[in-house]
Amino acid sequence: MLTIASFVGFTSCSSDDKEDVILNLPISKSMKVGDVYDMQYKSNWASNNTFVASVDNNGVVTANRVGTANIYSDVHRCQVTVSANVTLYNEPITEWGITQSYLISKRGTPYSSTSSAVAYDLNSDITPFEMYSFENNKLTAAIVLVNTNYTEDMLEHLSERFKPVYVDSEDLTALFINAESLDEAKTTIVTTLYNTKYWAVMYMLNDESSKARSTQADKIKELKLELEKIKL
């Protein structure tokens, strides 16, 4: 009888412990890119946004990129917020399709503008200039100039927010996307040398007409010319 009672007591305690663990699981968690957090509870865990945070069945959460994700199982849900270790500049507005007047209402009065672009003087040695490009009065691209002395920080800044696709050492360009694959991405980010002092970090709408690399190269050339015109 003592053995049976002990066994019953053990299983009852285990059930209570399980309930206690569930009750003690966080409903929200703040993490930095690269952090790992253990929920310490095995279940059929999943993430609604693995681009930002992933999780295994042991409840081990990995912070992949800046953003928010819901980590959930059949017994619990936790909102994970991932922040950056490196922030070199504020990300430009990339609400593709908005009008020039609407962007100005959100961003403020530009120091220079044309019918197809608006530019902002950021008064910074690191990122002195920002430009937005429009086609048919719809936002399709944004450019931030970044001082080449901060190349490593620039790449870290981008890697913590976007997925690197390739680096071309000959053309001195790199491509990042805001999704797991190029087909899913709504934005592509290309870094290319503007001159010996600055990188041009180009955020571009990734639609069906712009997915070809040759088309993208043409777009980069167009943006560089537009950048020259609006800076004059």
Side-chain angles (χ1 to χ4, degrees), residues 33 64-66 84-89 91 126-127 146-169 172-177 189-193 199-203:
V33 175
N64 298 321
R65 297 175 190 89
V66 171
N85 297 294
V86 175
T87 298
L88 191 62
Y89 57 87
E91 287 292 299
I126 302 173
T127 54
V146 177
N147 193 310
T148 53
N149 290 329
Y150 296 86
T151 298
E152 187 175 335
D153 290 331
M154 177 190 72
L155 294 174
E156 188 66 24
H157 172 105
L158 292 170
S159 295
E160 290 192 342
R161 291 160 176 80
F162 308 104
K163 182 178 180 178
V165 177
Y166 71 79
V167 175
D168 191 325
S169 57
L172 294 177
T173 59
L175 172 66
F176 297 81
I177 55 177
I189 303 92
V190 175
T191 64
T192 183
L193 271 181
W199 290 99
V201 183
M202 299 181 173
Y203 296 72

Side-chain angles (χ1 to χ4, degrees), residues 18-207:
K18 181 178 179 180
E19 291 177 5
D20 287 343
V21 168
I22 294 172
L23 288 172
N24 289 326
L25 290 174
I27 60 172
S28 63
K29 182 67 180 175
S30 296
M31 303 175 71
K32 293 280 192 181
V33 175
D35 283 355
V36 174
Y37 176 74
D38 191 351
M39 292 280 195
Q40 297 185 340
Y41 184 78
K42 291 184 178 182
S43 185
N44 293 320
W45 291 103
S47 170
N48 75 334
N49 189 353
T50 56
F51 187 79
V52 171
S54 53
V55 62
D56 63 20
N57 286 337
N58 292 318
V60 178
V61 181
T62 302
N64 298 321
R65 297 175 190 89
V66 171
T68 59
N70 287 320
I71 303 299
Y72 60 92
S73 71
D74 53 354
V75 296
H76 189 69
R77 182 181 296 269
C78 174
Q79 185 180 71
V80 173
T81 301
V82 181
S83 57
N85 297 294
V86 175
T87 298
L88 191 62
Y89 57 87
N90 293 325
E91 287 292 299
I93 295 170
T94 54
E95 297 173 36
W96 307 129
I98 64 174
T99 63
Q100 188 174 121
S101 60
Y102 184 69
L103 181 133
I104 291 173
S105 72
K106 295 188 67 173
R107 184 66 181 79
T109 304
Y111 99 94
S112 180
S113 65
T114 66
S115 60
S116 60
V118 294
Y120 293 88
D121 187 346
L122 303 183
N123 296 312
S124 168
D125 291 334
I126 302 173
T127 54
F129 188 85
E130 182 179 85
M131 186 191 83
Y132 294 92
S133 179
F134 298 82
E135 293 180 11
N136 300 317
N137 199 29
K138 292 183 179 180
L139 181 66
T140 57
I143 299 176
V144 179
L145 292 188
V146 177
N147 193 310
T148 53
N149 290 329
Y150 296 86
T151 298
E152 187 175 335
D153 290 331
M154 177 190 72
L155 294 174
E156 188 66 24
H157 172 105
L158 292 170
S159 295
E160 290 192 342
R161 291 160 176 80
F162 308 104
K163 182 178 180 178
V165 177
Y166 71 79
V167 175
D168 191 325
S169 57
E170 290 186 5
D171 291 340
L172 294 177
T173 59
L175 172 66
F176 297 81
I177 55 177
N178 71 336
E180 292 290 356
S181 70
L182 191 57
D183 286 338
E184 297 172 309
K186 294 181 179 179
T187 302
T188 56
I189 303 92
V190 175
T191 64
T192 183
L193 271 181
Y194 175 61
N195 54 34
T196 57
K197 191 174 181 180
Y198 294 110
W199 290 99
V201 183
M202 299 181 173
Y203 296 72
M204 296 180 287
L205 168 65
N206 186 47
D207 57 12

